[in-house]
Amino acid sequence: MPYQYANNMSPQQYPFQPQRQPHGRQHPPTEPEKPNEKARAKRHKWPVVFLLALIVIGLSVFGVQALRDRQVARLIAPYEEVYAPGIYINGIGIAGLKPQEALEALREDMLGKLNSWSLNLNYRGHTFATLTYSTLGMTIEENQLYALLNQAWQLTHTGDVHTRKAAIDKLQISPYYGQVAQSELSDQQLETMLSQIAPFINKDPVDAAILHFQPDNDREPFIFQQEQQGARFDIPSVREQIMAWAAAGQSGDYELAGEAIPPTVTVAQLKEKVALRSSISTPISTSSTENRNNNIRISLSRMNGMILKPGESFSFNKVVGPRTLQAGFYEALEQVYGDLVTGVGGGVCQSSTTLYQATLTAGLTIAKRSIHSDKVSYSDLGQDATVYLSSGREIDFSFKNTTPENIYIAARVRPASNSSKRLVTEIRIYGQSLGEGVSYRLNSETVQVLAPPTDKKYVVDMTGLIVTYRDEEKLKSEAQEGYVVETYLEKLYNGQVVERKFISRDTYQPKKAVYYRGNTPVP
């Protein structure tokens, strides 16, 4: 046993010992004067009687005391080797227990209390650790326990039987309560443990991003990288809460979690930056040749998928390039100075016209634009844009991205929605959203009609197949009226016009009647 009785006496030792009578130095009696014999006998008789009386009285007193001592000893005998009633340590009564039994009982109780609390640290189905009071620095303070047991033992095992009996009786009235001081909970090991867990929870947020622009997919033209929420493991806050659970003895499962860190950019935000701003389609005539249709396809393919950054300009001639056989274009009819002639690249003006209408209704700024000399079949007057690129002559169409975000262009030839046998030219423009319920449309008005000239225009038939002689003529095309057209860009909100902006005033000159004339002199 790691402790001993404080008085170094075994419980069986009896503390009481009678005191020895002291003996003084003997002196011979002085000779009395010579009394007579009777007087001498009388003088010697009284001291003897007195001494005998004292002895009898002493033996009586001693016998009574011994009897009392034996009675008290019998009363405290049950507690000679055990703790007396009325002794409590850590709230546990140890009466009737031997010192080793008391030690084991208290140690078992303290160990049970250490193991009475546990907390599982879980994260997404995984248990990182199970905490106990031992993890948090609590221990069995056995040195304190030994001291309390010794102190409690000495209460009823020190002094004579009467002192010990008095101590036992006193405990019935005023019990002894000893308490091992509880060791402080420490978060040092918990701090280390949480620091090791933190890297598994901490995560940087991931911003959404546009991974790819696929212009030929009108339903899902953009592929996005999804945003991901980040997490920050707040060690001080978690540590404080776990220590509070430990102090309250709240066992169970603790779900670890990180404080959410939102991404800076979300897919929803990106979709606002790549919304459909405009979609324009112009019909391709059923009389349009395959060569002409191919020229439209080629010119549109050169701009399909283009991304125009804020402040950048788009030039049709630079993007599409020279219309030559070497560049892949075909010969087809095209309008030159008001006449339809066969040329390489015929049909690309339908692409530029469609692009013009798309950029206007997308709210972009037009830099260069020229009209045809005559009305075209695929566009209203005031809404066309002609282009030309040859040595010595260039007519360009250009616009600028004046929005704060990128502009994305999707361009193609596709079947008409109302007839798979007919084709249309389609251009879609994506960028910063125009706003919920907002759209644009073009509205052209003829403000003046110009009368056609009365004089004629002649074209010599060098072949002689239409007319032969110089005095012969045949109508090639009738005279045409001219027009002055004003075009407006209308802003609509939920289908209602809320704003009207002037765009252009275009004049289409009247045309003379054109006649063929023969080349052969009259006989």
Side-chain angles (χ1 to χ4, degrees), residues 182-416:
Q182 183 175 328
S183 57
E184 293 288 336
L185 292 174
S186 172
D187 59 7
Q188 184 174 357
Q189 188 171 345
L190 177 60
E191 176 88 17
T192 301
M193 189 178 298
L194 294 178
S195 298
Q196 293 171 347
I197 293 174
F200 295 94
I201 300 177
N202 286 334
K203 183 174 65 173
D204 292 331
V206 177
D207 287 342
I210 300 173
L211 298 179
H212 185 57
F213 173 44
Q214 42 186 14
D216 296 328
N217 188 334
D218 56 344
R219 292 187 178 182
E220 296 291 342
F222 296 94
I223 298 177
F224 298 99
Q225 171 183 278
Q226 292 291 327
E227 72 270 15
Q228 295 181 26
Q229 195 174 55
R232 182 181 64 85
F233 189 48
D234 189 351
I235 293 178
S237 176
V238 173
R239 183 186 64 231
E240 181 178 347
Q241 189 170 15
I242 289 176
M243 294 300 291
W245 283 33
Q250 182 178 349
S251 297
D253 294 290
Y254 185 92
E255 190 64 30
L256 299 169
E259 179 183 348
I261 304 177
T264 304
V265 181
T266 66
V267 169
Q269 291 171 332
L270 288 182
K271 286 184 176 180
E272 288 294 312
K273 297 181 179 181
V274 292
L276 180 64
R277 294 174 68 95
S278 173
S279 179
I280 295 294
S281 297
T282 57
I284 297 176
S285 173
T286 54
S287 62
S288 179
T289 65
E290 188 62 23
N291 280 359
R292 182 179 183 277
N293 294 346
N294 285 334
N295 287 336
I296 296 174
R297 289 188 179 96
I298 293 170
S299 59
L300 292 179
S301 68
R302 302 288 171 85
M303 66 183 78
N304 188 39
M306 282 195 66
I307 301 174
L308 207 62
K309 294 181 179 180
E312 287 187 343
S313 296
F314 177 100
S315 164
F316 187 94
N317 285 341
K318 287 182 179 179
V319 172
V320 175
R323 274 73 87 182
T324 64
L325 295 175
Q326 294 79 3
F329 288 93
Y330 299 86
E331 291 184 339
L333 290 176
E334 60 181 348
Q335 193 179 98
V336 179
Y337 298 110
D339 295 323
L340 283 176
V341 298
T342 299
V344 178
V348 297
C349 284
Q350 183 163 354
S351 298
S352 60
T353 293
T354 309
L355 182 61
Y356 172 61
Q357 296 178 15
T359 53
L360 276 178
T361 53
L364 302 177
T365 301
I366 307 302
K368 290 182 181 179
R369 173 252 179 177
S370 299
I371 63 172
H372 288 82
S373 57
D374 202 355
K375 178 177 172 59
V376 292
S377 62
Y378 47 81
S379 172
D380 293 338
L381 290 173
Q383 299 180 20
D384 62 310
T386 187
V387 289
Y388 192 81
L389 182 60
S390 65
S391 57
R393 183 168 182 258
E394 178 180 356
I395 302 174
D396 197 8
F397 166 69
S398 63
F399 66 91
K400 186 176 182 180
N401 177 13
T402 51
T403 74
E405 301 295 337
N406 290 346
I407 287 294
Y408 301 83
I409 301 174
R412 63 182 176 177
V413 172
R414 64 166 179 83

